[in-house]
Amino acid sequence: ICLRNIIKEPSNQEILMVYDKPKHKNDLKPGNRWGLPGGKCCDDKLKTHNCCTETPEKTAIREFLEETGYIAKVELLYSDELLHPESREKFVRHTYLGSIVGGRQSITKFAGSIISPHWFKLGAFPRNSHKSHQHLIGRYFGIANAKG
């Protein structure tokens, strides 16, 4: 979760989101969605344990840089043990609060005038954002029913 305008103007708080276009035509995700920057440490689909050579914090910093162009300093907010919806394998999701400390926003343009990453007003993030990310944002801010 990366925010700006927190101190200057609380009513203008914004959250940084990235556009998540399916990588394959057979992708299980329904349509294109906005989400929080992030990702996995291990891309080895055959291994579920002990395949990561970096800490969760370093993974968060690397993924943030790859998806936004910004260098971030991160602070762990919470960790949750979850079940993967398809494989039913357990995994741990770490959620960090990020502060931009350097870098430069990398811009990716998609069809329909979509530019990613994009800053959204906290109360007006897109309807087609990941439900789990809406939940994380709501949890952090104590919003009962966070919706885009």
Side-chain angles (χ1 to χ4, degrees):
I1 299 174
C2 185
L3 307 167
R4 73 176 178 186
N5 297 334
I6 297 172
I7 297 171
K8 291 181 185 174
E9 189 66 45
S11 64
N12 284 331
Q13 287 183 4
E14 294 176 312
I15 190 161
L16 186 64
M17 299 185 90
V18 294
Y19 192 65
D20 184 20
K21 184 177 180 184
K23 293 168 183 56
H24 310 286
K25 66 178 181 179
N26 295 328
D27 199 331
L28 296 174
K29 296 174 189 170
N32 301 331
R33 295 178 181 254
W34 287 94
L36 299 169
K40 299 179 284 193
C41 175
C42 181
D43 281 331
D44 186 340
K45 305 276 187 232
L46 301 176
K47 293 180 84 173
T48 57
H49 302 290
N50 301 322
C51 67
C52 188
T53 59
E54 62 187 1
T55 64
E57 180 179 303
K58 290 214 183 279
T59 299
I61 292 167
R62 176 182 52 77
E63 287 283 348
F64 194 82
L65 177 62
E66 288 175 4
E67 295 183 15
T68 69
Y70 291 123
I71 299 167
K73 179 177 93 174
V74 297
E75 172 189 341
L76 182 65
L77 294 176
Y78 29 80
S79 298
D80 299 304
E81 187 173 287
L82 304 166
L83 282 176
H84 189 278
E86 286 98 31
S87 70
R88 307 306 294 164
E89 293 279 336
K90 286 184 181 180
F91 69 97
V92 177
R93 177 179 60 198
H94 303 283
T95 303
Y96 292 88
L97 181 63
S99 301
I100 295 171
V101 296
R104 186 176 181 163
Q105 183 175 357
S106 61
I107 302 288
T108 304
K109 294 181 181 182
F110 295 94
S113 303
I114 295 171
I115 297 175
S116 178
H118 187 81
W119 291 96
F120 290 95
K121 295 263 189 215
L122 189 56
F125 51 92
R127 292 176 192 258
N128 64 333
S129 58
H130 293 287
K131 298 293 181 206
S132 62
H133 294 195
Q134 291 178 21
H135 173 76
L136 289 172
I137 295 164
R139 180 177 174 187
Y140 177 71
F141 288 99
I143 303 168
N145 292 310
K147 291 185 180 171

